[in-house]
Amino acid sequence: MKHRHLQTVLFLCAAVSVHGQATEGDAEGHPLGPGETLPDGWYQSDWMGAVHTEEYPWIYKPGSGWLFHFRPEGGNGHWWLDDDLGWIFTRENWYPSLYRLDSGSWLRHVPGTASPGWYYDFALDQYWEEGREPSPRHIEAYAALSDAVRRVKATAGSLSAANRYPIHTEVGGHDWVEVASRDWTAGFWPGILWMIYDFNGETVLRRLAERAQQGMAGERFRTNTHDLGFMIFNSFGKAHTLGYGDHEEIITDAARSLTQRFDADVGAIRSWSWGEWDDGNRLTVIVDNLLNLELLMWASKQPSGDPAWRDMAVQHADTTMEHFFREDGSTYHVVIFDENTGEVIRKTTHQGYDDHSIWARGQAWALYGYSMMYRETGYARYLEQAIISAEAFISNLPEDAIPYWDFRSPFIPDDVRDSSAAAIAASALVELSQLVEDASREKRYHEAAATMLDGLMSDPYFRENSTSALIGHGTYNWKNGNKDTGTTWGDYYFLEALRRFLDRGGYLKGEGSSL
């Protein structure tokens, strides 16, 4: 990318230097325009200050470095290569507005803030300081969030009722399929609205979020599902933690309901209560259930909560860590226990290709779950497990960093992807990069997350997406033919990953940011 930009700059410079070549004695006056000639090759330009001109058309400006000057139609202009900003272009009738080639964004230098200067970025709609400027990826992420506002509003307008929730787009189609509040995915939609409102601030988005989550309030009393974290903490919990209302009672009610599914003999929360999964003495646990532990961890610390809920979450995480992982760090999707003895009956899959394959979304759930549990507890074993999960996920990624729905599908490279697995993992990796102490791991996870976000923001996932979702090409359940669609959880974690990336300014830990 840099090489291509440099070629573009040199081509433009060559073209305009032929047209604009001038000397101090030509009829148009000094090539830099009105000003005063100073001793020793210096010139005091009325529009750009003091510069050294002996190497013209290359000129030297203190604080900016070497600039290539040319004279386009209608005035003076120049390119220069800034150590921090890359190639910059401006001209006499634009300055102090500047065009930054690396990011394709317009900046405006704030007069009187030299060394380092402050700039207003029109793409970001905010100020930043040179040396702490956003990367091109940062600006692209901001632009993606801005475009997401429009798309989320369109989805809100398309839903048939306030108590209907998008789950995935039609297979082979464009529009959302809707579900009731009882579905495990329903909480993602209010969470999406809260994140977009927090970014954009439009009152209508807050009203939409409040209305959508209110339709789910009664779900907090359910004891026949393990997904109350997805349903309640990703909706009411997102609102509460972002500072939009006090929803502690609703959240702790949901946590209390979830604890009814905890089995002390197994040391885990029962997942499915349907079909053969809980026949007889069976107690089934799925790797996805790690994500519901954040509800218990948060609620256990609240005045209306119970510290014992934290112990249940820790036991569940420990049981999962002991029984779900293979030697290579990959994870099973499902483990069936004997509810009386705690012994393992079978390790299997429900949505992966087979019992020995690596279901991509399940691996992403593990990565996210143990990163979260380390953040919440500080226990080194959870950090180690998050690293193991991350390495297994990253090492199995294809070249474009968007995983196939199952890393061991026999149909690769002709099989479908799962963009939602990439979104979940990217969000987790941004967080994990801030939790690890080792600088090399921090960089590895930061760059892996950034590469996945690059892929997700590009065609055909976010750009040129042919569905109503923010990102396309997700896979809900390959075995049931529900594949290659947009998914509401994919959109949720895509937004969360973008926000986490931007909240850190696109920087590694310790680099800092003015953003």
Side-chain angles (χ1 to χ4, degrees), residues 254-296:
R256 187 176 294 105
S257 298
L258 181 59
T259 62
Q260 303 306 302
R261 299 182 66 78
F262 181 77
D263 186 290
D265 292 320
V266 175
I269 297 167
R270 183 188 298 270
S271 295
W272 294 326
S273 298
W274 49 272
E276 63 181 11
W277 301 108
D278 66 345
D279 281 352
N281 63 336
R282 292 184 170 196
L283 186 147
T284 297
V285 179
I286 60 175
V287 71
D288 321 33
N289 211 350
L290 287 168
L291 275 288
N292 294 295
L293 302 184
E294 189 169 9
L295 167 66
L296 295 183

Side-chain angles (χ1 to χ4, degrees), residues 426-446:
S427 182
L429 285 167
V430 175
E431 177 167 64
L432 184 58
S433 72
Q434 303 295 300
L435 296 174
V436 294
E437 296 295 332
D438 180 74
S440 63
R441 286 198 185 278
E442 176 195 352
K443 183 177 181 180
R444 174 169 168 77
Y445 300 149
H446 177 90

Side-chain angles (χ1 to χ4, degrees), residues 171-475:
V171 177
H174 172 272
D175 296 336
W176 284 105
V177 174
E178 299 176 8
V179 293
S181 62
R182 296 181 64 80
D183 194 86
W184 75 274
T185 65
F188 291 118
W189 173 236
I192 286 169
L193 288 166
W194 282 120
M195 285 189 280
I196 288 294
Y197 169 67
D198 190 60
F199 170 75
N200 178 266
E202 289 187 36
T203 302
V204 65
L205 291 168
R206 177 166 185 160
R207 290 174 178 168
L208 287 169
E210 290 172 339
R211 187 174 66 171
Q213 75 173 14
Q214 193 55 43
M216 301 189 58
E219 305 299 331
R220 70 189 189 271
F221 297 117
R222 288 176 59 188
T223 58
N224 63 344
T225 178
H226 64 290
D227 283 319
L228 290 172
F230 285 131
M231 299 166 71
I232 300 299
F233 199 69
N234 287 356
S235 54
F236 289 95
K238 184 65 74 175
H240 190 104
T241 54
L242 288 175
Y244 302 123
D246 183 355
H247 305 293
E248 179 189 328
E249 183 178 349
I250 290 176
I251 300 167
T252 54
D253 281 345
R256 187 176 294 105
S257 298
L258 181 59
T259 62
Q260 303 306 302
R261 299 182 66 78
F262 181 77
D263 186 290
D265 292 320
V266 175
I269 297 167
R270 183 188 298 270
S271 295
W272 294 326
S273 298
W274 49 272
E276 63 181 11
W277 301 108
D278 66 345
D279 281 352
N281 63 336
R282 292 184 170 196
L283 186 147
T284 297
V285 179
I286 60 175
V287 71
D288 321 33
N289 211 350
L290 287 168
L291 275 288
N292 294 295
L293 302 184
E294 189 169 9
L295 167 66
L296 295 183
M297 296 300 297
W298 187 90
S300 70
K301 296 179 286 188
Q302 308 311 311
S304 57
D306 187 336
W309 299 346
R310 179 186 188 277
D311 297 335
M312 295 180 187
V314 167
Q315 287 185 61
H316 183 99
D318 287 346
T319 298
T320 303
M321 190 166 61
E322 180 180 358
H323 296 293
F324 273 74
F325 286 88
R326 306 182 182 100
E327 288 187 5
D328 64 358
S330 65
T331 179
Y332 290 95
H333 179 201
V334 181
V335 176
I336 303 170
F337 296 89
D338 184 314
E339 65 180 353
N340 299 316
T341 66
E343 296 295 319
V344 172
I345 297 174
R346 183 183 174 192
K347 297 183 180 182
T348 183
T349 191
H350 180 56
Q351 289 178 254
Y353 182 78
D354 62 34
D355 289 353
H356 305 290
S357 67
I358 307 174
W359 181 47
R361 191 160 77 246
Q363 194 69 33
W365 291 137
L367 165 57
Y368 193 109
Y370 284 105
S371 298
M372 177 273 297
M373 285 299 291
Y374 177 68
R375 179 230 303 158
E376 291 295 318
T377 65
Y379 293 166
R381 63 183 184 272
Y382 295 151
L383 178 61
E384 180 180 355
Q385 201 64 43
I387 290 171
I388 289 171
S389 303
E391 293 298 327
F393 193 94
I394 294 170
S395 65
N396 282 286
L397 286 173
E399 186 175 352
D400 65 1
I402 307 300
Y404 292 93
W405 75 279
D406 191 300
F407 286 123
R408 292 180 179 168
S409 165
F411 305 109
I412 293 172
D414 299 320
D415 212 341
V416 294
R417 309 298 183 101
D418 185 7
S419 58
S420 74
I424 296 161
S427 182
L429 285 167
V430 175
E431 177 167 64
L432 184 58
S433 72
Q434 303 295 300
L435 296 174
V436 294
E437 296 295 332
D438 180 74
S440 63
R441 286 198 185 278
E442 176 195 352
K443 183 177 181 180
R444 174 169 168 77
Y445 300 149
H446 177 90
E447 291 181 349
T451 301
M452 278 189 275
L453 282 175
D454 284 345
L456 289 172
M457 289 189 289
S458 68
D459 178 19
Y461 298 98
F462 182 73
R463 293 200 201 105
E464 305 303 325
N465 173 17
S466 61
T467 75
S468 296
L470 297 182
I471 54 173
H473 303 286
T475 296

Side-chain angles (χ1 to χ4, degrees), residues 100 103 121 124 128 132-139 505 507 515:
R100 183 183 176 198
S103 63
D121 192 308
L124 294 172
W128 46 261
R132 288 291 180 265
E133 66 279 351
S135 65
R137 181 184 285 123
H138 185 134
I139 293 172
Y507 289 87
L515 299 177

